[in-house]
């Protein structure tokens, strides 16, 4: 209780410096929050786009009903299959006519239906990674009933590469901002230590240990980081709400806004705890480097 009281009193005594530090920390954490917000919503869109990944299995002509049914059962019971849909040759032709619209007249001269029957397999989430999906496709291609398989291999690999690059960028920016926040807090605490150098020296003379003297500064750093992170979350939410209010009327034709969300509670808690942790680490760094001079 003593340490907390001392930390709050120190924070109030040096409120001007601390308020400036909190605002600077908030700006840094706001950048982190903005990147996290973009990443969370990108993952939301990525999950939606990923759910649209289907494997189209084109079948050979002249399959007997028994072999077709056996293949259907095998695909239906495969662990990677979330849903299975069969399209006959006739249905494939009707779909093509529908897509061509008025241009379907060019199909009138066909003597036979050249389109193959197919199975459309909706892939489960855990099997959508390019490597796993490629192994599945290679296994299916060994079946004699299958003519060809299409699953958008190049698009899927580029998409996963983009997700990976975004994750690396988020980690990099978060690390840079975290180091900046630690530096700001360390500098603020160090200034506070220098302004109270005589008081600290007197406390040492009467027998107080360095940790007893400096622990309130450690708590003060945690308080700075926590307040800065909390302010950053509030600013991030305000900017997010403002952007949604401005963009929704004109953007609903192009973007599904139901996929866009603010930071989930676990991410907010991580930002708050991360701010407090960075504050404590910044204080420890400052205390370590001022032991000899105070």
């Amino acid at each position: 209780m003593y340490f907390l009281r001392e930390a709050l009193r120190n924070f109030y005594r040096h409120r001007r410096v601390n308020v400036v530090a909190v605002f600077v920390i908030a700006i840094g954490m706001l950048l982190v929050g903005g990147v996290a917000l973009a990443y969370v919503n990108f993952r939301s869109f990525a999950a939606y786009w990923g759910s649209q990944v289907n494997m189209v299995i084109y079948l050979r002509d002249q399959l007997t009903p028994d072999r077709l049914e056996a293949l259907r059962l095998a695909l239906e019971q495969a662990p990677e299959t979330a849903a299975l849909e069969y399209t006959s040759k006739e249905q494939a032709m009707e779909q093509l006519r529908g897509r061509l619209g008025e241009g379907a007249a060019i199909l009138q001269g066909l003597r036979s239906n050249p389109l193959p029957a197919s199975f459309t397999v909706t892939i489960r989430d855990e099997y959508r990674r390019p490597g796993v999906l490629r192994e599945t496709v290679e296994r299916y291609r060994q079946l004699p009933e299958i003519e060809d398989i299409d699953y958008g291999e190049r698009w899927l690999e580029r998409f996963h590469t983009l997700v990976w690059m975004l994750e690396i960028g988020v980690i990099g920016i978060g690390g840079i901002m975290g180091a900046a926040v630690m530096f700001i807090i360390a500098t603020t605490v160090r200034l506070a230590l220098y302004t109270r150098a005589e008081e600290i020296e007197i406390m040492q003379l009467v027998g107080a240990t360095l940790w007893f003297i400096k622990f309130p500064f450690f708590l003060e750093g945690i308080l700075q980081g926590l307040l800065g992170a909390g302010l950053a979350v509030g600013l991030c939410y305000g900017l997010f709400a403002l952007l949604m209010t401005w963009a929704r009327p004109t953007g609903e034709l192009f973007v599904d806004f139901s996929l866009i969300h603010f930071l989930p509670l676990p991410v907010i808690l991580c930002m708050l705890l991360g701010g407090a942790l960075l504050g404590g680490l910044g204080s420890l760094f400052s205390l370590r480097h001022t032991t000899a001079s105070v």
Side-chain angles (χ1 to χ4, degrees), residues 270-285:
C270 285
M271 284 188 64
L272 296 176
L273 292 176
L277 178 63
L278 290 173
L281 291 175
S283 294
L284 288 177
F285 180 79

Side-chain angles (χ1 to χ4, degrees), residues 39-40 63 89 101 105 122 138 141 144 160-161 179 183 212 227 240 261 263 269 274 278 280-281 290:
Y39 175 71
V40 165
L63 285 182
K89 293 171 63 70
T122 302
E138 290 303 319
R141 279 182 173 147
H160 279 267
T161 300
F183 175 78
F212 182 85
L227 289 175
F240 174 79
H261 307 283
L263 296 173
L269 292 177
L278 290 173
L281 291 175
T290 54

Side-chain angles (χ1 to χ4, degrees), residues 129-193:
R129 296 190 302 274
V132 176
L133 196 54
R134 193 180 303 113
E135 291 178 2
T136 302
V137 169
E138 290 303 319
R139 188 174 74 250
Y140 284 168
R141 279 182 173 147
Q142 305 303 316
L143 299 176
E145 296 86 357
I146 295 176
E147 178 71 31
D148 197 9
I149 299 176
D150 181 21
Y151 66 102
E153 179 179 8
R154 291 184 179 179
W155 178 89
L156 191 63
E157 289 181 350
R158 290 173 182 174
F159 175 73
H160 279 267
T161 300
L162 179 61
V163 172
W164 177 78
M165 291 176 62
L166 182 63
E167 290 176 346
I168 295 298
V170 169
I171 293 172
I173 293 175
I176 294 172
M177 291 298 103
V181 168
M182 282 182 59
F183 175 78
I184 294 166
I185 293 174
T187 302
T188 305
V189 173
R190 189 177 302 174
L191 289 174
L193 284 169

Side-chain angles (χ1 to χ4, degrees), residues 49-61:
W49 293 331
S51 67
Q52 309 303 307
V53 174
N54 294 321
M55 181 192 302
V56 181
I57 300 175
Y58 297 105
L59 308 178
R60 297 185 186 276
D61 290 337

